[in-house]
Amino acid sequence: MKQIFTLVAYDLRCQLRERGTGALLAAALLLAAFGLFEGARFDRHGRQAVAAAAAQEAQARSDASTLARRYFADPAAAQFARLQWHRTPVDVRGYAFREHVGFAAKPAVAGAALAIGQADLLPPYVRVRAESMESVRTASEIEHPALLAVGRFDLMFYVVYLWPLILLALTSSVLTQDRESLRLRSLQLQGIRLGRMLVAQVFARALSATALLTAACVGAALLLGAVEFDLAGMAALASWGGVLLLYSMFWAAVAVAIGAVCGNRMTAAFAGFAAWLVFAILLPGALGVAIQLGAPVPQRELYVQAMRDAADQVAANKLDSLARFYDSHPDWKPATALDKVSSSVSRLQRAQELERVMAGVEQRFARAKQERQRRFEAALVLSPVSSTYQILAGLAGNDGVRHQRFLDEVQQHQRRLRDYFQEAIQRAALGDERAPCPATCLGGYGFRDFDQVPVFAPSPALATATPWGGQLVSLPLWTGLMLGLAALLLARTRRR
């Protein structure tokens, strides 16, 4: 064992003297710093957008309150002569369907800058309207399509796809260089076991490079302010460093398997690139295709056609659905005939009826999506690259699972918002029916309770990242599998 430590120390000193190694590590650190900078910049812009949305919501509520005080103080003033009810917040119908400004924001977690993940496709905030969730569903792309096609370079992309190439380049000369220089036989005569020497030198190089990268990224993250210097921030950085270490050890095991079978550095370089293609490109792509074929999502055209058919059905059964609605809410039932009810009063009821008719189609699409997600999570163990991608995205809080939790809370908030305006509009209609006003007035459709309108408040659970610890199991398993394969290949090479 002492001989192994001596060889490892000598090998690391030789690597420090190599200009190529220094240049490669310098380029690696520069790329990592650039990826971290891009992630921090994207996170900062996202936080600024969320703050701007919150400011816009508060300003709109303040402006509406100011206008309501002026209007109800003197409704007959000349400045309000051309006021249209559907374009003003002082009318509950106009406020509910047009003038209300409400946003729901997803809180950022401590390690958000460490991985953009799916944040460029899944926005951190959405506009919430009382009538439907359509404004939320159509907010899934906040970037230009050309930029989305190109993708973003961030620290996660660097770690998942480029860092393995750097590790393979650093470790491709282990044992192959000794074979080329014919030093291998002399080492064996000294009682050194090739397997131990190969594993020790490869893992020593990989651990040294990983420690350097971790220290540089942690220091840069704290200096740039990408991660706050607090308990949550340090925990995020420690978790990121642990994931990076396990991922690096997997690729070090791949390098061990390559060194066990390749006779020279040129062959090892080609074998390393082929291994990267298989693990980083082909295997995740094959899993994606298999999941799409095994759990297909219904075509979008079917959903659009079902929506059109449902809208026609709701329009044809307008009076029947309205009668059922007032039967379930008898205290809101007007004295006039139902066919005389204003469309602005029954607008939210029609939206609810459309959701009821579309419930079966929505459930069908939701089940297909859930089945695909379930299969994807089960298949992650088959791809170490996909597992690492999901872990890093989950650590940063920019994964699809957390965004779905956010959308579930948004939907609950939207239902509360719709119920609030539903009651306000129905009671306003009853008041206007008892004492009609020539213009919007209190006791009728007049509205000034802006502070009572529900505001989105995320749950404490949404402020935390998606649990990702269970996905780490696959990386040590793959590392052990590669080391076992290396032992078999080395034994086969000896027999030759």
Side-chain angles (χ1 to χ4, degrees), residues 396-407:
N398 293 327
D399 57 303
V401 175
R402 181 169 179 264
H403 190 75
Q404 185 58 50
R405 288 162 48 200
F406 168 62
L407 293 184

Side-chain angles (χ1 to χ4, degrees), residues 11-225:
D11 178 69
L12 292 178
R13 287 197 298 270
C14 290
Q15 291 300 313
L16 288 176
R17 291 193 293 266
E18 287 285 344
R19 293 182 179 179
T21 300
L24 181 63
L25 290 176
L29 295 180
L30 287 176
L31 287 173
F34 179 69
L36 179 62
F37 172 77
E38 284 293 292
R41 186 168 66 90
F42 185 87
D43 178 57
R44 184 174 63 255
H45 288 173
R47 293 174 188 265
Q48 291 173 351
V50 169
Q56 181 184 352
E57 179 179 353
Q59 185 63 44
R61 189 183 303 112
S62 175
D63 293 344
S65 298
T66 301
L67 178 62
R69 284 195 298 269
R70 291 169 47 216
Y71 175 81
F72 292 117
D74 186 10
Q79 59 180 322
F80 303 124
R82 296 184 179 182
L83 196 67
Q84 297 175 319
W85 67 263
H86 59 279
R87 298 176 66 90
T88 176
V90 300
D91 190 294
V92 66
R93 299 164 297 178
Y95 187 64
F97 301 131
R98 177 184 172 90
E99 299 299 323
H100 170 253
V101 178
F103 293 98
K106 179 172 58 177
V109 301
L114 299 177
I116 292 177
Q118 302 176 36
D120 51 355
L121 291 172
L122 306 177
Y125 71 95
V126 291
R127 177 80 178 267
V128 184
R129 299 182 182 274
E131 190 169 7
S132 71
M133 286 282 288
E134 190 63 25
S135 59
V136 177
R137 296 190 183 99
T138 56
S140 58
E141 293 187 0
I142 61 174
E143 297 286 356
H144 192 279
L147 181 58
L148 295 176
V150 175
R152 289 185 177 274
F153 184 88
D154 66 332
L155 187 58
M156 182 181 69
F157 178 86
Y158 168 79
V159 168
V160 173
Y161 294 104
L162 299 186
W163 180 241
L165 290 174
I166 295 172
L167 285 180
L168 291 173
L170 286 173
T171 56
S172 61
S173 63
V174 175
L175 209 61
T176 57
Q177 185 176 7
D178 293 324
R179 289 193 178 103
E180 290 178 344
S181 62
L182 303 179
R183 290 184 302 179
L184 198 58
R185 180 61 62 183
S186 62
L187 292 173
Q188 289 178 306
L189 291 176
Q190 297 177 30
I192 297 176
R193 302 182 61 176
L194 299 185
R196 291 183 179 179
M197 184 178 73
L198 175 62
V199 172
Q201 289 188 358
V202 167
F203 275 81
R205 292 187 186 184
L207 284 172
S208 300
T210 302
L212 179 62
L213 177 64
T214 303
C217 289
V218 169
L222 295 176
L223 288 175
L224 289 174

